[in-house]
Amino acid sequence: MITPALRPATPGDYDAIAAVVDTWWGRPILPSLPRLFLDHFHRTSLIASTGAGELAGFLVGFPSPSAEDEAYIHFVGVSPAARGSGLGRRLYEAFFGIAREHGRQVVKAITSPVNEGSIAFHRRMGFTVHGPHPAYNGPGTTLITFERTLT
């Protein structure tokens, strides 16, 4: 596989992400990523694409407007063909740079307790893992939280 190039997202990238995200996850997940995230946070989100323009991955993240030292990674996807290639790490490292440029010192994220791959990935990326947190987003939504201090 050709090493995908990273670039800032645009609002127009939403349709390409929406077209593949449920397939990449193997279940309906698109409702967790409404269009508003790329409409309002595209400048701090990333797209990974091949030379042919094929979507290989993406990261949707933003500096917190309320917690001035924090940034948040809302959603990350890597195509099944690109998994294990280091693309997820590249997306995170690029976002860490964006967070630093915005004066952020901490990056946070969340996942479901059943997403063992995500939990293991975040640990390898240097995040501390907290939880599970019952009712994190209301009744029936137990989640795991991640936090990493940037150096």
Side-chain angles (χ1 to χ4, degrees):
M1 173 177 213
I2 297 171
T3 301
L6 301 186
R7 64 168 173 80
T10 68
D13 289 315
Y14 183 80
D15 292 330
I17 293 169
V20 299
V21 72
D22 288 348
T23 302
W24 288 5
W25 262 258
R27 62 186 168 87
I29 196 80
L30 184 59
S32 297
L33 184 60
R35 184 178 296 275
L36 72 89
F37 280 97
L38 283 187
D39 285 347
H40 296 281
F41 302 113
H42 61 274
R43 290 184 186 159
T44 56
S45 297
L46 299 161
I47 297 293
S49 58
T50 65
E54 182 179 329
L55 182 66
F58 65 91
L59 181 150
V60 176
F62 52 90
S64 171
S66 299
E68 293 182 6
D69 67 332
E70 295 179 8
Y72 180 74
I73 296 174
H74 175 66
F75 212 101
V76 180
V78 174
S79 75
R83 291 183 187 151
S85 70
L87 180 56
R89 177 174 289 280
R90 285 182 56 219
L91 286 163
Y92 269 66
E93 292 291 345
F95 182 76
F96 295 160
I98 291 167
R100 285 182 192 100
E101 288 171 9
H102 285 84
R104 299 321 199 254
Q105 299 160 351
V106 175
V107 175
K108 293 186 174 183
I110 61 172
T111 197
S112 165
V114 299
N115 194 340
E116 294 174 2
S118 176
I119 295 167
F121 173 80
H122 283 86
R123 280 193 171 114
R124 287 191 306 272
M125 291 297 301
F127 283 82
T128 54
V129 179
H130 304 280
H133 302 283
Y136 184 87
N137 279 340
T141 59
T142 298
L143 293 172
I144 301 292
T145 60
F146 306 114
E147 183 175 320
R148 177 177 163 168
T149 300
L150 300 176
T151 54

